[in-house]
Amino acid sequence: MSLQVVTANRLDDGLAVFMTADDGWSTDIRQAVCAEDAQQADALLARADTEKQQITVVGPYLIDVANEDGVLAPTKYREVLRTQGPSVRTDLGYQAG
């Protein structure tokens, strides 16, 4: 099994966020808590999918990540786009600024 983190969309602005070790959420994937096996992944997703968390985020799910020189990075293109923003017109959107 590959490494996994939980991602979701924050309700107040729709941005992609990642679950942190203190059950918070960050737009920075480098702050995400990482599961190393299926049991940890299931537990992490259960922590993210509670009524309390549903006040903050919607649609939490697990994504595969790779540890690249100590930095977590999504392995699927869809998740790269969600993490970094659109690949065109980087002067627009939240990544601009």
Side-chain angles (χ1 to χ4, degrees), residues 23-61:
D23 291 349
W25 297 91
S26 173
T27 56
D28 187 345
I29 195 171
R30 294 173 296 184
Q31 296 178 359
V33 62
C34 191
E36 297 181 2
D37 60 40
Q39 185 176 9
Q40 288 179 355
D42 290 343
L44 192 59
L45 186 57
R47 285 171 38 198
D49 199 20
T50 64
E51 284 187 35
K52 179 182 175 192
Q53 292 291 355
Q54 292 172 6
I55 295 170
T56 307
V57 296
V58 64
Y61 62 97

Side-chain angles (χ1 to χ4, degrees), residues 1 35 46 89:
M1 184 191 124
R89 297 291 313 258

